[in-house]
Amino acid sequence: MDKLIVTGAGPLDGDVIISGAKNAALPILISSLLVDGKLTLSNVPHLQDITTTMSLLGYLGVEMEIDERMNICADASHVNQSRAPYDLVRTMRASILVLGPLVARMGHAEVSLPGGCAIGSRPVNLHIKGLEAMGAKVVIEDGYIKATCDRLRGARIFMDMVSVTGTENLMMAAALAKGTTVIENAAREPEIVDLANCLNAMGAKVSGAGTSELVIEGVDSLHDASHTVISDRIETGTYLVAGAVTRGRVRARATEATYMDAVLDKLSEAGADITIDGTSIELNMHGRQPKAVDIYTAPHPAFPTDMQAQFVTMNALANGNSKVVENIFENRFMHVQELQRMGAYIDLEGNTAFIKGRNKLRGAPVMATDLRASASLVLAGLMSDKPTVIDRIYHIDRGYESIEEKLSRLGANIRRIPGHVWDKDPSLQALVQ
């Protein structure tokens, strides 16, 4: 199993090109199931989750073409399968998103209950309740969600809680329903807006994206389209925090500041100078230690849960005391135990982490427990006094494109060790003794 070795090397300094947004690209790729034709996408990130999604779509009968720049053409003209098996769904929570499009286009679907990061309960009841409101008959049998319907019909759906994947699934299903669907208490994330823009490019009639009420006028069919995926705001935030943690300067390019008000505000509060110039965001700490900041996660446009782990690391290396309150997932502090192994002063009480900042951390063998937790450990390693060995980095490959290459260009001391090399090199293994 591959590992990352990270050692403190001083302040980061330089430019980093931000990739397309994973959380936008996944549902948009899956929306190709709605089209009896081709959907051509650009700015798709080269990630394990994208590969998994392409494998799932290929199994369902979507013909995929991809070039060296990760431009993807998905042709769903010959979709011939409506069952998404466990082996293809178990590693990625977003696989649940094939449910709505398959029912809408084919009238039936069997989708295995999904897997993904073990960060807490993410129930599928919102997806099921919405499809049932649109006329589908849904049962859960043998670990599969099974849904059937001659044709979905428009409905007014109130989401009991804000759910990004729930909103996306029902929005895609409603695009081919008969009549008008209204989704109340809808998620407002930029990735929701990007999916709506792609659907509309295919001939759907979606309005209200980015607000808490979505209105979808169903159409009989969708047509070929092209779409460019938005930049990844979480990747952007992660590299900016890397600059803050190391007291350096990082300019994120090919990104969009309007998606990131809550994160940028907290970085400014931590003492960073933030400069926005078109599609670039520059953070400069001028060699200063960041100030501790309190964080409360909540649905967009508030502070994103996907940036919580990175800010926990920053606070562990900040001047002062802070608290971080996780309001979205009940099990998203698994990185804390690993940071404590590196000498971080963090106390957990329920959904709140109380943090006392310090100047440096100690290098140690640590284990990535989920996607964003793995990023937080990399950031911690950037300020460690000896090598930090991060295991189970397949998590990070799900959401960060070439993270070691991008950080190396900024001056980080980070390298990937393939599993077969690690197994045969005692000097490397001595790092975790």
Side-chain angles (χ1 to χ4, degrees):
M1 189 178 295
D2 290 2
K3 293 173 174 52
L4 286 176
I5 301 179
V6 189
T7 307
L12 299 184
D13 189 355
D15 291 12
V16 59
I17 304 297
I18 301 302
S19 301
K22 173 184 87 85
N23 290 339
L26 294 178
I28 287 172
L29 256 178
I30 289 171
S31 74
S32 66
L33 289 168
L34 295 166
V35 186
D36 186 10
K38 297 180 179 181
L39 174 61
T40 303
L41 301 177
S42 56
N43 201 36
V44 179
H46 190 189
L47 302 169
Q48 184 58 48
D49 274 8
I50 297 296
T51 302
T52 300
T53 300
M54 293 176 65
S55 296
L56 175 57
L57 292 175
Y59 176 86
L60 295 173
V62 180
E63 297 177 1
M64 313 290 293
E65 294 181 7
I66 182 170
D67 65 19
E68 68 279 358
R69 299 183 64 185
M70 281 299 290
N71 296 311
I72 297 176
C73 179
D75 185 347
S77 301
H78 306 292
V79 170
N80 55 13
Q81 176 66 258
S82 62
R83 187 176 189 271
Y86 173 73
D87 284 348
L88 290 174
V89 170
R90 62 187 175 88
T91 62
M92 190 179 69
R93 188 76 189 181
S95 301
I96 188 68
L97 290 173
V98 302
L99 179 64
L102 286 175
V103 176
R105 180 168 171 197
M106 303 186 71
H108 51 88
E110 294 185 21
V111 180
S112 172
L113 291 169
C117 287
I119 58 176
S121 175
R122 291 188 276 187
V124 298
N125 61 299
L126 297 173
H127 306 249
I128 293 172
K129 178 182 175 183
L131 289 175
E132 288 177 334
M134 286 190 277
K137 180 181 178 181
V138 186
V139 297
I140 298 179
E141 291 180 347
D142 304 321
Y144 281 78
I145 305 169
K146 301 179 180 181
T148 57
C149 188
D150 290 336
R151 184 180 180 185
L152 296 175
R153 60 177 184 269
R156 180 171 290 272
I157 302 168
F158 177 80
M159 306 282 283
D160 293 336
M161 59 181 290
V162 177
S163 167
V164 173
T165 56
T167 300
E168 291 167 341
N169 222 342
L170 299 178
M171 176 167 56
M172 288 189 284
L176 292 180
K178 181 177 178 62
T180 300
T181 298
V182 178
I183 303 175
E184 299 181 274
N185 198 30
R188 301 164 59 187
E189 273 72 5
E191 295 80 14
I192 298 285
V193 178
D194 204 31
L195 174 60
N197 289 339
C198 181
L199 291 173
N200 287 339
M202 294 188 285
K205 297 180 179 179
V206 181
S207 59
T211 75
S212 59
E213 183 175 281
L214 280 172
V215 179
I216 307 103
E217 297 179 35
V219 297
D220 291 334
S221 62
L222 300 177
H223 54 67
D224 293 5
S226 298
H227 181 78
T228 301
V229 176
I230 61 172
S231 60
D232 195 317
R233 62 194 172 101
I234 305 303
E235 185 192 28
T236 301
T238 300
Y239 286 112
L240 294 179
V241 172
V245 163
T246 62
R247 310 174 190 185
R249 182 198 70 86
V250 169
R251 182 170 67 165
R253 296 170 51 195
T255 189
E256 181 55 68
T258 56
Y259 306 149
M260 301 190 59
D261 288 346
V263 170
L264 296 179
D265 285 349
K266 284 297 178 180
L267 287 171
S268 295
E269 186 181 331
D273 286 337
I274 303 292
T275 303
I276 299 169
D277 182 10
T279 59
S280 295
I281 308 171
E282 181 179 284
L283 174 144
N284 198 332
M285 294 301 295
H286 302 286
R288 300 186 296 258
Q289 183 181 17
K291 303 172 187 175
V293 294
D294 292 339
I295 299 294
Y296 302 82
T297 67
H300 190 79
F303 192 90
T305 181
D306 278 356
M307 284 300 303
Q308 176 256 104
Q310 298 90 313
F311 270 76
V312 166
T313 293
M314 188 187 79
N315 279 334
L317 287 158
N319 179 20
N321 300 330
S322 61
K323 65 179 179 180
V324 175
V325 182
E326 175 55 59
N327 294 306
I328 306 298
F329 296 118
E330 74 276 11
N331 196 28
R332 205 167 199 179
F333 277 129
M334 291 187 290
H335 49 286
V336 166
Q337 182 177 354
E338 303 303 305
L339 291 171
Q340 289 170 334
R341 288 172 51 79
M342 300 179 68
Y345 301 135
I346 307 174
D347 290 322
L348 281 181
E349 294 183 15
N351 69 331
T352 303
F354 295 93
I355 306 167
K356 179 181 178 181
R358 57 179 299 180
N359 196 50
K360 280 270 189 181
L361 295 177
R362 300 190 303 266
V366 292
M367 181 176 65
T369 53
D370 63 70
L371 170 55
R372 305 307 171 184
S374 60
S376 75
L377 299 178
V378 171
L379 299 183
L382 295 173
M383 288 293 284
S384 60
D385 59 357
K386 62 180 182 178
T388 294
V389 179
I390 306 172
D391 202 359
R392 295 177 64 183
I393 62 170
Y394 55 83
H395 287 294
I396 208 164
D397 292 335
R398 292 183 48 232
Y400 290 92
E401 183 175 16
S402 305
I403 189 170
E404 68 272 21
E405 295 175 16
K406 291 185 178 183
L407 283 173
S408 292
R409 293 191 194 107
L410 296 172
N413 185 347
I414 178 173
R415 55 181 173 146
R416 179 183 294 256
I417 305 298
H420 69 276
V421 174
W422 177 272
D423 292 340
K424 295 179 180 179
D425 192 333
S427 66
L428 292 173
Q429 296 171 29
L431 296 174
V432 298
Q433 301 302 316

